[in-house]
């Protein structure tokens, strides 16, 4: 069960954190993986790591916020693989602030990566999946798509849009056998979290790490591998009856 043998997967932002874990997990399950990354050194590191374990992976430079860059990246996939079965829209950035403290430039920056990036990559993937006879798109949403998070105005705007785009793509391409779902993690321990603590609370990182961990009723943050396991299920044929859905992976946050 949960094998991806013979499938070709593209994972955006797979040079770090959750995306890297998804790329590795998909490769272990038999997929050929394309690591689409803005940070080419990090992308190449993920791909080299997969190849060292006997998997097939190629890193491709891609800024998901740029239409030209996305077109070039998917063109490079065509040259190497000639099909695409799975797209994971994982690349994302964070911003801290309320509606009052968020600047227009901040909002545009978050929109460009988290919203437009998903649009551009999905727009590139859909015709290729139609050609392949179907496919699976998985989006990284957040618990911010489902509940209000303090001080996360722009981020919540973008993750609410991820949930809405997930449902929209799911209904539009159901006849083409393209499924589209999203996962909604609470806090997951990745470089994104470490960077946030370092920049926002320098010198107080351990105290704030504990606080962020305790926000989840299970008393800890999730791991990238736990999210990758859910991603594998949702992109596998075992999930072929599931589309348009949002899956919390949240350490109990939404239960209370
Ligand atoms: P991460 O460790 O920062 O990894 C994100 C990766 O995406 C980085 O390698 C980053 O590269 C890349 N990226 C950023 N902008 C890009 C762009 N324009 N084009 C291509 N790649 C780009 O983050 P993460 O924690 O794994 O988060 C992954 C996803 O999960 C995000 O969508 C995030 O919102 C979502 N999520 C995370 C959490 C959490 O607690 N960690 C919770 C809920 C949802 P750079 O280093 O160059 O920026």
């Amino acid at each position: 069960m949960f094998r991806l043998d013979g499938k070709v997967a593209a994972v955006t932002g797979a040079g770090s954190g959750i995306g890297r874990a998804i790329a590795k997990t998909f490769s272990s399950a038999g997929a050929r993986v394309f690591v689409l990354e803005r940070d080419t050194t990090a992308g190449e590191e993920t791909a080299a790591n997969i190849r060292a374990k006997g998997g097939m992976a190629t890193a491709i430079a891609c800024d998901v916020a740029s239409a030209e860059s996305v077109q070039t990246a998917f063109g490079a996939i065509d040259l190497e693989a000639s099909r695409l079965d799975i797209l994971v829209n994982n690349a994302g950035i964070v911003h801290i602030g309320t509606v009052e403290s968020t600047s227009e430039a901040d909002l545009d920056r978050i929109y460009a990566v988290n919203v437009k990036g998903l649009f551009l990559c999905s727009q590139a993937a859909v015709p290729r999946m139609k050609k392949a006879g179907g496919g699976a798109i998985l989006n990284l949403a957040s618990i911010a798509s489902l509940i209000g998070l303090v001080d996360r105005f722009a981020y919540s705007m973008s993750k609410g849009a991820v949930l809405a785009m997930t449902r929209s793509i799911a209904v539009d391409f159901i006849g083409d056998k393209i499924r589209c779902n999203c996962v909604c993690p609470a806090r997951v321990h990745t470089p994104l979290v470490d960077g946030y603590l370092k920049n926002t609370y320098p010198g107080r990182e351990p105290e704030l790490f504990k606080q962020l961990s305790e926000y989840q009723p299970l008393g800890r943050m999730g791991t990238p591998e736990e999210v990758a396991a859910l991603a594998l299920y949702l992109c596998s044929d075992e999930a072929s009856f599931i589309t348009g859905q949002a899956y919390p992976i949240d350490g109990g946050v939404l239960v209370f």
Side-chain angles (χ1 to χ4, degrees):
M1 287 178 90
F2 314 129
R3 295 294 306 170
L4 301 179
D5 300 292
K7 294 197 194 279
V8 175
V11 185
T12 68
S16 174
I18 296 170
R20 175 172 281 183
I22 290 175
K24 288 179 171 182
T25 301
F26 281 19
S27 167
S28 300
R32 168 163 198 183
V33 179
F34 287 90
V35 173
L36 304 191
E37 244 305 336
R38 169 170 74 173
D39 178 343
T40 46
T41 312
E44 187 45 53
E45 224 174 82
T46 302
N49 191 295
I50 290 173
R51 288 194 298 268
K53 294 202 164 93
M56 277 179 87
T58 308
I60 297 176
C62 179
D63 176 357
V64 299
S66 152
E68 197 188 334
S69 176
V70 169
Q71 258 181 31
T72 307
F74 279 77
I77 295 177
D78 292 341
L79 289 179
E80 279 204 38
S82 73
R83 63 181 289 129
L84 183 68
D85 305 284
I86 297 168
L87 167 68
V88 182
N89 284 306
N90 165 79
I93 54 174
V94 280
H95 177 260
I96 312 300
T98 65
V99 68
E100 213 177 13
S101 62
T102 299
S103 70
E104 186 183 355
D106 289 334
L107 191 86
D108 287 347
R109 194 169 50 84
I110 296 294
Y111 171 83
V113 178
N114 296 8
V115 181
K116 195 171 81 168
L118 186 151
F119 156 69
L120 291 173
C121 292
S122 303
Q123 193 174 56
V126 162
R128 289 166 170 88
M129 290 178 176
K130 280 183 176 172
K131 215 173 114 198
I137 298 176
L138 183 72
N139 299 324
L140 263 293
S142 160
I143 53 167
S145 311
L146 305 170
I147 57 170
L149 292 189
V150 171
D151 229 13
R152 297 288 186 283
F153 176 76
Y155 186 72
S156 300
M157 168 279 295
S158 72
K159 294 302 181 181
V162 169
L163 173 58
M165 288 188 287
T166 298
R167 291 182 176 140
S168 174
I169 292 170
V171 296
D172 282 340
F173 300 102
I174 203 155
D176 298 294
K177 298 193 170 55
I178 298 172
R179 299 185 297 106
C180 184
N181 293 292
C182 65
V183 292
C184 302
R187 190 87 55 190
V188 180
H189 187 204
T190 67
L192 181 146
V193 173
D194 292 334
Y196 159 67
L197 290 178
K198 194 168 156 226
N199 297 333
T200 322
Y201 302 101
R204 292 178 59 205
E205 289 96 330
E207 174 197 340
L208 268 296
F209 186 91
K210 186 165 175 281
Q211 220 177 79
L212 292 187
S213 299
E214 286 169 355
Y215 174 76
Q216 285 72 222
L218 277 176
R220 64 172 175 89
M221 298 186 201
T223 67
E225 290 71 26
E226 286 169 328
V227 181
L230 179 56
L232 173 61
Y233 168 61
L234 289 170
C235 292
S236 72
D237 289 343
E238 279 71 20
S240 56
F241 201 48
I242 301 177
T243 194
Q245 296 304 316
Y247 283 81
I249 172 159
D250 67 343
V253 170
L254 299 176
V255 176
F256 288 83

